[in-house]
Amino acid sequence: MSSSVSPLAPKTVPDMPVIAGIRLATAEAGIRYKNRTDVLLAVMDKGTAVAGVFTRSKCPSAPVEWCRAKLKGGKARALVVNSGNANAFTGKTGRASTALTAKIAAKAVGCSENEIFLASTGVIGEPLDATKFDGVLGRLAEAAEPGDYLAAAKAIMTTDTFPKVATATVKLGKAKVTINGMAKGAGMIAPDMATMLSFIFTDAPIAPAALQVLLKSGVEDTFNAVTIDGDTSTSDTLLAFATGAAAEHGAPKISRASDPRLKAFVKAFNQVLANLAEQVARDGEGARKLVEITVEGAKTKASARKIAMSIANSPLVKTAIAGEDANWGRVVMAVGKAGEPADRDKLSISFNGIRVAKRGARDPDYDEAQVSEAMKAPEIAILVSLGLGKGRDRVMTCDLTKEYVAINGDYRS
């Protein structure tokens, strides 16, 4: 966790309302860090529905495997998250650690181990000493209170420079329902179903199957459209919990994701996901520029996504942006290597609304001074027009600076 906050951090932090059926507490368990919180316990009321999406890495962490297995039950009573140790690539020891953590948490909360969900973030390959949770989780279960999402978000940070929270309120039937979310992530970000760790809480009465559909759909143009460095984490976990408490105030019970009464809720739900995903991009390790890449005129949306990701993950593009250089040649390179349909002689490129390349060559009205001034902005928008079809997509990333190398050069040691 950095002592220097990213210059791209949001200027304000939202007030996070209480959600009925959710209680939070944090503590110092001494997993890796000293003099800071590193464990979060979220306690949910009985009957809370759960949904989740996880990394598709072939080397998933032990907590990811645990959650996948428990997700089939559709119900949750507690979430335990630790920072400092990812409990990934830890073999039988890692699996034993998840089982012990769940056992301790289940005893503390008074529920089945099958209703415990786990997430870990930090160093890969080092055993997690789950005995450090013994006693700590019991105290947390007693101390847990509705409310402090900002403290919860701080406890799960690693190289993050600021806690990431978002909220939305919307009507569902006759009742007002709330959606709160938190996330962590700054490096090893190239989502594949989720990104690092993120947790969404709502009091809406939504069945597990319907919540799963909403979550899987919602990540596609939010978390899965963000990349920092092209590296997919072993620990990517996004869990959503719905307590159903709003049913007492007139919210209808939802069993199908296609229920038309969900329209406003889905929009608000996706806004929370998008807000958190953008905050991850704003907190990219060493970042000084937030970068939005839009590809239009592609054959399909999927093709536009691949090309946009090729640009976003290019070290040459990202370092040019860090140097405030509108080097469209690097964008051309990234388009060409994406393996998707493209025609050099139809390609146009713009930086912050200024077209620098048109139909396969430098724009005839190109003005170096004008573009150089535009590249000094903290937010850079790159527009690539392919001229081949109606496919369009957008991804978020950041620049690549010397600080990224410094952070990751000594992350473990």
Side-chain angles (χ1 to χ4, degrees):
M1 185 168 64
S2 174
S3 59
S4 177
V5 177
S6 168
L8 303 173
K11 302 304 180 186
T12 60
V13 178
D15 292 328
M16 302 293 287
V18 168
I19 291 180
I22 302 291
R23 295 180 294 123
L24 306 170
T26 63
E28 298 179 22
I31 301 300
R32 178 178 177 84
Y33 308 116
K34 295 181 179 179
N35 302 316
R36 58 152 286 190
T37 56
D38 59 1
V39 60
L40 159 68
L41 175 67
V43 181
M44 278 78 78
D45 282 356
K46 290 181 180 180
T48 296
V50 61
V53 288
F54 309 95
T55 182
R56 286 191 286 212
S57 167
K58 299 303 182 183
C59 299
S61 68
V64 165
E65 292 183 323
W66 175 274
C67 288
R68 279 178 176 155
K70 305 309 174 188
L71 201 63
K72 299 172 184 177
K75 300 295 181 183
R77 288 295 312 284
L79 166 70
V80 180
V81 188
N82 75 268
S83 57
N85 186 310
N87 196 11
F89 201 63
T90 45
K92 292 181 179 179
T93 300
R95 292 189 286 275
S97 292
T98 58
L100 179 56
T101 304
K103 182 178 180 179
I104 296 170
K107 182 179 178 181
V109 174
C111 67
S112 166
E113 293 169 24
N114 292 327
E115 296 175 298
I116 303 294
F117 286 80
L118 309 172
S120 299
T121 180
V123 174
I124 294 171
E126 295 185 6
L128 172 63
D129 182 4
T131 62
K132 291 186 176 182
F133 295 127
D134 200 6
V136 172
L137 295 182
R139 293 195 300 273
L140 290 180
E142 293 178 359
E145 296 180 348
D148 202 344
Y149 287 86
L150 197 61
K154 288 179 179 179
I156 66 175
M157 291 165 58
T158 52
T159 59
D160 305 63
T161 71
F162 62 88
K164 301 164 184 63
V165 293
T167 186
T169 302
V170 68
K171 289 290 284 292
L172 180 58
K174 297 179 180 180
K176 181 179 74 173
V177 298
T178 301
I179 306 163
N180 284 351
M182 70 180 81
K184 68 81 52 187
M188 201 184 289
I189 305 289
D192 191 7
M193 289 306 290
T195 182
M196 292 302 286
L197 304 184
S198 187
F199 309 105
I200 311 297
F201 304 91
T202 182
D203 52 357
I206 303 177
L211 190 61
Q212 183 66 37
V213 173
L214 297 184
L215 190 62
K216 187 174 181 179
S217 173
V219 298
E220 285 308 314
D221 289 329
T222 58
F223 281 118
N224 281 2
V226 170
T227 180
I228 299 300
D229 45 27
D231 288 330
T232 296
S233 172
T234 59
S235 306
D236 288 354
T237 297
L238 171 53
L239 294 169
F241 303 93
T243 69
E248 297 180 5
H249 304 287
K253 294 183 179 180
I254 304 296
S255 60
R256 296 177 297 106
S258 59
D259 192 316
R261 293 172 294 182
L262 271 180
K263 185 176 181 180
F265 178 88
V266 170
K267 182 178 180 180
F269 185 81
N270 289 345
Q271 284 175 344
V272 170
L273 296 180
N275 187 316
L276 292 172
E278 181 174 313
Q279 289 187 57
V280 169
R282 287 181 176 277
D283 204 17
E285 290 172 341
R288 294 295 179 267
K289 307 277 189 183
L290 178 68
V291 186
E292 179 186 65
I293 299 168
T294 302
V295 174
E296 64 181 18
K299 287 284 189 179
T300 64
K301 174 180 169 67
S303 181
R305 169 67 62 87
K306 289 182 180 179
I307 293 171
M309 279 294 188
S310 178
I311 298 167
N313 283 324
S314 166
L316 290 177
V317 172
K318 292 159 76 73
T319 50
I321 293 170
E324 300 181 342
D325 178 12
N327 191 335
W328 66 85
R330 294 183 176 183
V331 177
V332 173
M333 172 278 298
V335 171
K337 74 169 185 175
E340 293 296 313
D343 185 332
R344 178 198 60 202
D345 297 331
K346 293 182 178 180
L347 186 63
S348 297
I349 301 167
S350 298
F351 287 87
N352 275 5
I354 302 171
R355 192 170 59 194
V356 296
K358 179 182 179 182
R359 292 188 173 275
R362 188 176 71 179
D363 191 287
D365 296 324
Y366 178 78
D367 182 330
E368 179 75 25
Q370 180 189 28
V371 178
S372 294
E373 184 63 29
M375 293 301 291
K376 294 178 182 179
E379 299 184 11
I380 304 296
I382 300 176
L383 173 63
V384 174
S385 300
L386 298 175
L388 300 178
K390 297 182 179 180
R392 187 179 190 277
D393 207 359
R394 160 191 170 277
V395 303
M396 302 293 293
T397 189
C398 60
D399 56 348
L400 180 60
T401 67
K402 294 177 181 179
E403 286 79 9
Y404 178 90
V405 178
I407 290 167
N408 286 283
D410 62 2
Y411 177 62
R412 191 182 68 86
S413 56

